[in-house]
Amino acid sequence: MTSVPKVRLAGGLEICRVLNGMWQVSGAHGTVNKTKAVEAMEAYVDAGLTTFDMADIYGPAEEIYGLFNSQLKSSGSAPPALQGLTKYVPRPGPMELKVVEKALQRSMSRMKVDTLDCVQFHWWDYKDKRYLDALGHLSDLQQEGVIRELALTNFDTQRLEEITNKGICISSNQVQYSLIDQRPAARMEQFCVANNIKLLTYGSLAGGLLSERYLGKAEPSSRAELNTASLSKYKNMIDAWGGWTLFQDLLIALETIAKRHECSVASVATRYVLDRPAVGGVIIGCRYGVAGAGHHISDSLRSCSPDLRLTAQDHAAIEAVTRRSRDLMGLIGDCGDEYRS
């Protein structure tokens, strides 16, 4: 097993700096075969990539993790320790303790665990202040040992500060962060650094668009070309950021840097985000159990290797392109605002 760099969250849980993302098994990226998904997960763990990110709304993600977890434990030999980070994404409504407890028990049952390593809470409507009720209960359950780490997903800086000021200890906030979407640098990073909150980032490879595969290619527009939820989502982000021509300029700069470091464009894009202040880890989507889906284990290992160090020259080349982009903070708002009206 390769030694993958780890980061320690506020509650003591150590996770890999590259996490295996399981949104891709939710059904919007191709039909998932659960048996093959479990088989595919083994290669990642064998490589030292033992941290998995999922959610209660990601289709069978928690169940697939549970199947894999059970298989490892029954294998006979001493299994490697896994870290299973899930999300609690309730529909707006009353947030009594029994509602929160029932949701966590369901996740534990699916994941085949007695304690949840990390629960990342998401809330759809800031006008409905019952998110504070839910977080209060989650904090109490953390004190009881049901949860190791209490975290957030797609909360903005204002609400993160509000929650922290209530005395609720937040370990991490999961947000979109990439060479395209650098909104966390505007406000979020500074607050997180000051309060020992890690950023766990998604979209850092723009659903695969930040790769050699799209260098020099005509702009994709049809559903056949943008055939996963990720590709469609991040193509829209590129359009808002500056468009396909500017994106090609970025890919050209990244390819030059990648050749200099003898790695892939994806590894450079991931390393850039890993090096940002407050970033604890980058979530790389894995299409477990989807026919024809490739593994990107070597890219993930290279991106978090201490041997890959971006230079001042590399950063200057990247910023020569990104400074020509639009201000997404002004267009969209702070982290997560795209999920709220």
Side-chain angles (χ1 to χ4, degrees):
M1 185 186 294
T2 307
S3 178
V4 174
K6 302 275 180 63
V7 64
R8 188 184 296 274
L9 301 181
L13 180 71
E14 282 196 339
I15 63 171
C16 296
R17 293 211 68 203
V18 172
L19 298 83
N20 307 315
M22 296 185 71
W23 177 43
Q24 283 71 13
V25 305
S26 64
H29 296 77
T31 304
V32 175
N33 180 308
K34 289 185 184 179
T35 303
K36 290 184 176 176
V38 169
E39 290 172 2
M41 291 167 76
E42 189 172 349
Y44 287 79
V45 171
D46 287 346
L49 297 164
T50 58
T51 306
F52 296 85
D53 176 77
M54 66 209 87
D56 58 0
I57 61 167
Y58 289 1
E62 290 182 330
E63 292 169 34
I64 291 169
Y65 179 87
L67 288 169
F68 180 63
N69 198 19
S70 295
Q71 179 179 293
L72 270 187
K73 289 175 180 175
S74 63
S75 64
S77 56
L82 303 182
Q83 302 82 46
L85 286 64
T86 193
K87 300 180 190 73
Y88 174 34
V89 189
R91 294 176 179 174
M95 286 288 115
E96 291 106 343
L97 176 60
K98 63 182 180 181
V99 173
V100 177
E101 282 184 317
K102 183 179 179 181
L104 298 193
Q105 287 295 334
R106 182 184 61 200
S107 289
M108 283 190 279
S109 175
R110 289 172 171 175
M111 295 169 68
K112 304 286 196 291
V113 294
D114 299 322
T115 303
L116 291 167
D117 285 333
C118 180
V119 173
Q120 303 164 99
F121 178 69
H122 176 91
W123 190 253
W124 295 106
D125 182 9
Y126 291 144
K127 293 173 189 171
D128 184 342
K129 303 293 281 188
R130 286 177 290 192
Y131 62 84
L132 293 171
D133 297 339
L135 283 163
H137 296 316
L138 288 167
S139 184
D140 291 342
L141 290 166
Q142 183 184 26
Q143 297 305 311
E144 293 173 21
V146 178
I147 303 168
R148 289 190 67 183
E149 304 285 350
L150 176 54
L152 300 172
T153 296
N154 286 319
F155 271 77
D156 65 9
T157 313
Q158 180 185 336
R159 253 55 61 157
L160 185 55
E161 188 169 358
E162 173 194 35
I163 292 161
T164 303
N165 287 342
K166 293 281 185 184
I168 297 170
C169 181
I170 298 299
S171 292
S172 63
N173 188 22
Q174 188 172 138
V175 295
Q176 186 176 161
Y177 202 169
S178 69
L179 285 159
I180 304 297
D181 184 359
Q182 298 194 38
R183 287 176 294 159
R187 293 183 63 199
M188 180 74 66
E189 277 180 348
Q190 186 177 0
F191 182 81
C192 288
V193 168
N195 290 275
N196 191 29
I197 297 169
K198 300 298 183 187
L199 293 177
L200 302 182
T201 73
Y202 63 88
S204 301
L205 297 179
L209 290 164
L210 278 165
S211 68
E212 287 88 352
R213 181 182 172 190
Y214 290 92
L215 178 64
K217 294 293 169 63
E219 182 172 4
S221 56
S222 69
R223 187 168 293 181
E225 292 172 295
L226 302 169
N227 59 358
T228 69
S230 292
L231 288 173
S232 178
K233 174 178 180 174
Y234 296 113
K235 172 57 167 60
N236 289 337
M237 187 60 69
I238 288 167
D239 291 344
W241 170 79
W244 195 252
T245 300
L246 186 61
F247 181 63
Q248 286 297 312
D249 290 346
L250 179 60
L251 287 179
I252 290 166
L254 293 176
E255 186 197 33
T256 302
I257 295 166
K259 285 180 176 176
R260 199 150 52 223
H261 293 282
E262 298 181 338
C263 67
S264 68
V265 163
S267 291
V268 174
T270 303
R271 182 79 244 179
Y272 181 90
V273 178
L274 280 170
D275 287 342
R276 297 300 304 166
V279 171
V282 171
I283 300 158
I284 304 296
C286 303
R287 296 172 70 188
Y288 301 125
V290 176
H295 289 186
H296 305 288
I297 293 170
S298 60
D299 280 344
S300 290
L301 295 177
R302 182 76 172 104
S303 67
C304 63
S305 166
D307 296 333
L308 179 56
R309 297 178 183 175
L310 300 184
T311 65
Q313 180 187 6
D314 298 333
H315 281 277
I318 289 168
E319 285 155 20
V321 179
T322 57
R323 75 165 67 103
R324 291 152 49 202
S325 66
R326 299 190 190 104
D327 173 20
L328 291 182
M329 191 79 170
L331 279 172
I332 300 171
D334 203 357
C335 303
D337 281 1
E338 62 269 33
Y339 296 101
R340 300 173 181 92
S341 55

